[in-house]
Structure formats: structure tokens, C-alpha cells
Amino acid sequence: MESLKRLFHDEFHIGTMLMGTLPAEYSADERALIETQFDVVTPAYCMKPLPVQPQEGVFDFEQADALVAYAQAHGLLITGHTLIWHLSCPEWFFRDGEETASRETILQRMEAHIHALAGRYRGKILGWDVVNEAFDTGPGYLQPTPWAALVGDDFYLHAFAFAREADPEAQLYYNEWDAEMPAKRWKTLRLIDELKSRGLRIDAVGIQGHWELDAIPFKEIDQAITEFQAAGVQVMITELDIDVVLPRFIDDLTGDQVAEMVGDPYADGCPPDIQARLAEQYAELFRLFRHHAAAIDRIAFLGLHDGRSWLNLWPYRRTNYPLLFDRQCRGKTAYQAVLEGCEL
Ligand code: GLA
């Protein structure tokens, strides 16, 4: 079988972000797919703050250890996701009994968490998403998460400093959705600048790559890669998927409203014209990525194949086809289009 990681070996790492417990919850076919197509794996959940430290000082590394052992046994690199995020983050970080914890206490907890997690895997992890999704979706700089509200706008500077201490060799990343769009591009550039001007390490910016069929912002992606590279960091396309069901207008609607409006139109299979458009648009994306090969270090998908995509569940239940592999682990038309479009 052809292989993405072999095809792009000289250009970028090819990654997959894996949901569920690995290897226990993966079939032999799925593991074969991981091992032949990808050279980097990233856990989708088990290294997030909540599963790692559900209560202060109570750590659970079982799933993370299993993933690391599996990856090492198969010569796969690992990127860790994510040291600091406001979601999947336990309340106790910010509480002191009935009161809100002080800035000092929260920073001590941040330090302890990062040291425990990144310290445990020191030398085994290629790089960490140090901070995930800090930016405001509106005109402001940071979203008013407890991290920003209680520690301050400099909270991420601390996170990057602690990560550097905990694993001095690991690459350090900032990861964000819509990072390519103008509204978040300047924020990304500001964050890079603030880290660098304080002598802190940042190796790459992760553009999450949650895009939608017929609405991929190619121009913005192109521009963002150019600007981030000029700012002195590598670019990673992380969490790549192309939703084929969700219409653009959902932003102001709840999951239930969209579910009622759109339903599950492709429950019996993905129509050929959608497959064809998905293939064209994936091929175009990879042409763009190859054009920027010097700037891009890794391209990673969220989910191994269509059956394991979060887009079957969020923001409502439907049958989706956002990836290059189908539910039987076979390469789809889109997979062939990427390979053919990129024949070296
Ligand atoms: C964000 C996170 C991912 C995953 C997705 C979908 O993009 O970075 O880890 O949780 O949301 O839930």
C-alpha cells in the first residue's frame, strides 16, 4: 500500500490525533493503518488537564503511558496535547475552598501540573501543545477563560516557561482554530512576538485545520503560513478534517437546531459528487502545503478514519466523511487524489 508518511518523508511529518485508548481500543486493521501511514501520533484526550489530574495531586497516567509505550514500540514520534487549556480542565485549579484561588496559587498549580506531565515524558515527546485556544473569537486578544481572567494576559508566558524547564529538549507549540483567519492571525503574531521578546521558546504554531467542504479559506491559509514563517516559527497543520455535512450558517444555532435542519443526510453513504469535491479540495490543500514545505513541519489529522472523527458527534450526531480513510480503513478517493496530486 502507498503511504502518506513515505510520500511526504522529505517534506513534513504526517500525524494522526487519536481518540480513545491506544492500543486497547484499536483493531488490528486500525493499528496497521496507524503504523503504515503516519509517523507521529498525538492523543486526542488522555493528556488533557482533566484526565491527567482530576483532583489536585491525584494523577492518572495510565492511558498516556500506554500510548507512549505503543508509539515507542512502533517507532512513531509523539506530540503531546495539551498542557494548558480552559476546556477539559478541572475546576480545582481555580478554587480555594469556597473562594477563587489567588493568582499565585493558580500559577503554582500550573507549574506543578506542567512539571508532572511534561517531566514524566521528558525525552519521549517530540513537542507539546503548551497552550490551546487562548484567543478571543471577537475583537479582543484573549478569551476570558479562568486562566486569562485570574492569572492575567501573561498566563501563557508562564506556561511556556514552565514547559521549557520541564522538558528542555521538547519543541513547544501554540495551537489554535481559525489561526489562519485575519481575526486571529494578528493575535498569533503578537503571542509569538511576546514569547520571543522575553527569550522564551516557541517552535511552531498549530493551525488546527477544522475546515468545511466548499469553504476552505485557501488564501488565508497561504497568507498565514507566510506570515508565521516570517515571524520565525514553523507551522503545523494540526487536527485537520473537512466537514462534508455541516453548512456554514450554523454559527448562531444550537446543535439541536442544526440537527433538526440538516439531519443526517449521508447516513447511507457519501454521495459521489461530495467524494469528488472532497478529493479535489484535499488535493488542492496538499498542493498548497507542499508549496510551503519549508515552513511546515507536520500535517496531522484529527481522527484515524471517518468512523473515528469527532465530526460524527459534534455539534450533533450525523454520519460524516471528513478524512482520507473510510470506516474500513481503506484510502478514499481523497486519499488517491492527495497521492496522485503529490507524486514526487
Ligand atoms: C479542539 C481540541 C481538540 C479536540 C477538538 C474537538 O480542537 O484542541 O483536542 O478536543 O477541539 O473536541
Side-chain angles (χ1 to χ4, degrees), residues 204-338:
V205 161
I207 298 176
Q208 287 188 1
H210 296 301
W211 291 310
E212 289 171 27
L213 192 70
D214 304 329
I216 300 175
F218 291 104
K219 261 181 49 196
E220 284 82 0
I221 299 167
D222 183 35
Q223 183 71 25
I225 296 170
T226 304
E227 289 183 18
F228 298 160
Q229 182 185 30
V233 295
Q234 287 277 293
V235 174
M236 293 173 165
I237 307 298
T238 60
E239 310 189 20
L240 175 56
D241 45 27
I242 302 177
D243 194 322
V244 306
V245 185
L246 207 56
R248 266 274 123 177
F249 54 79
I250 71 136
D251 283 2
D252 301 325
L253 305 175
T254 65
D256 285 349
Q257 287 171 318
V258 182
E260 200 170 310
M261 208 179 292
V262 187
D264 188 8
Y266 311 133
D268 297 331
C270 189
D273 68 306
I274 301 253
Q275 295 274 22
R277 269 148 54 211
L278 186 71
E280 268 164 36
Q281 290 168 39
Y282 257 121
E284 187 168 347
L285 262 183
F286 272 80
R287 277 196 294 275
L288 178 61
F289 297 155
R290 288 194 68 205
H291 173 71
H292 286 290
I296 299 179
D297 194 53
R298 176 172 54 117
I299 295 172
F301 297 84
L302 177 43
L304 180 61
H305 57 69
D306 286 345
R308 286 198 177 262
S309 168
W310 69 302
L311 296 174
N312 294 298
L313 304 170
W314 187 92
Y316 72 99
R317 196 170 280 278
R318 64 204 180 284
T319 313
N320 220 326
Y321 304 87
L323 298 170
L324 297 184
F325 299 98
D326 69 14
R327 286 164 170 75
Q328 282 73 44
C329 295
R330 295 173 307 210
K332 297 166 25 177
T333 320
Y335 172 71
Q336 290 307 332
V338 166

Side-chain angles (χ1 to χ4, degrees), residues 29-319:
D29 282 352
E30 289 179 317
R31 293 198 306 273
L33 190 63
I34 297 170
E35 291 154 25
T36 52
Q37 296 292 332
F38 302 96
D39 62 355
V40 190
V41 292
T42 308
Y45 185 67
C46 68
M47 287 186 183
K48 286 175 175 169
L50 180 65
V52 165
Q53 196 178 182
Q55 293 169 42
E56 186 165 17
V58 179
F59 292 90
D60 182 350
F61 291 114
E62 203 183 320
Q63 284 196 32
D65 283 355
L67 177 129
V68 169
Y70 166 79
Q72 288 195 317
H74 293 88
L76 303 165
L77 298 167
I78 306 153
T79 61
H81 173 84
T82 169
L83 296 175
I84 295 297
W85 193 28
H86 58 290
L87 300 177
S88 298
C89 179
E91 267 289 306
W92 62 256
F93 268 105
F94 312 109
R95 310 291 316 166
D96 208 345
E98 294 302 296
E99 309 286 310
T100 302
S102 68
R103 176 176 194 270
E104 219 164 51
T105 301
I106 299 172
L107 278 173
Q108 277 163 10
R109 290 169 174 167
M110 178 196 267
E111 180 177 13
H113 182 78
I114 291 178
H115 273 267
L117 177 53
R120 183 178 184 87
Y121 301 113
R122 184 184 306 139
K124 298 180 176 173
I125 297 270
L126 175 67
W128 279 101
D129 287 337
V130 179
V131 175
N132 198 36
E133 302 179 343
F135 296 151
D136 191 22
T137 45
Y141 179 42
L142 300 183
Q143 5 178 7
T145 65
W147 291 114
L150 302 176
V151 175
D153 272 12
D154 63 347
F155 85 87
Y156 58 82
L157 299 174
H158 296 276
F160 275 81
F162 295 144
R164 181 72 197 270
E165 289 164 15
D167 188 350
E169 302 297 320
Q171 299 175 354
L172 304 181
Y173 319 133
Y174 176 73
N175 194 46
E176 181 65 80
W177 60 278
D178 269 4
E180 72 281 9
M181 301 308 278
K184 284 194 179 167
R185 223 188 281 155
W186 69 264
K187 297 170 198 178
T188 309
L189 292 168
R190 172 169 159 182
L191 176 140
I192 296 167
D193 188 56
E194 285 187 4
L195 285 162
K196 284 188 176 280
S197 64
R198 284 169 177 75
L200 290 164
R201 176 174 185 165
I202 174 165
D203 295 276
V205 161
I207 298 176
Q208 287 188 1
H210 296 301
W211 291 310
E212 289 171 27
L213 192 70
D214 304 329
I216 300 175
F218 291 104
K219 261 181 49 196
E220 284 82 0
I221 299 167
D222 183 35
Q223 183 71 25
I225 296 170
T226 304
E227 289 183 18
F228 298 160
Q229 182 185 30
V233 295
Q234 287 277 293
V235 174
M236 293 173 165
I237 307 298
T238 60
E239 310 189 20
L240 175 56
D241 45 27
I242 302 177
D243 194 322
V244 306
V245 185
L246 207 56
R248 266 274 123 177
F249 54 79
I250 71 136
D251 283 2
D252 301 325
L253 305 175
T254 65
D256 285 349
Q257 287 171 318
V258 182
E260 200 170 310
M261 208 179 292
V262 187
D264 188 8
Y266 311 133
D268 297 331
C270 189
D273 68 306
I274 301 253
Q275 295 274 22
R277 269 148 54 211
L278 186 71
E280 268 164 36
Q281 290 168 39
Y282 257 121
E284 187 168 347
L285 262 183
F286 272 80
R287 277 196 294 275
L288 178 61
F289 297 155
R290 288 194 68 205
H291 173 71
H292 286 290
I296 299 179
D297 194 53
R298 176 172 54 117
I299 295 172
F301 297 84
L302 177 43
L304 180 61
H305 57 69
D306 286 345
R308 286 198 177 262
S309 168
W310 69 302
L311 296 174
N312 294 298
L313 304 170
W314 187 92
Y316 72 99
R317 196 170 280 278
R318 64 204 180 284
T319 313

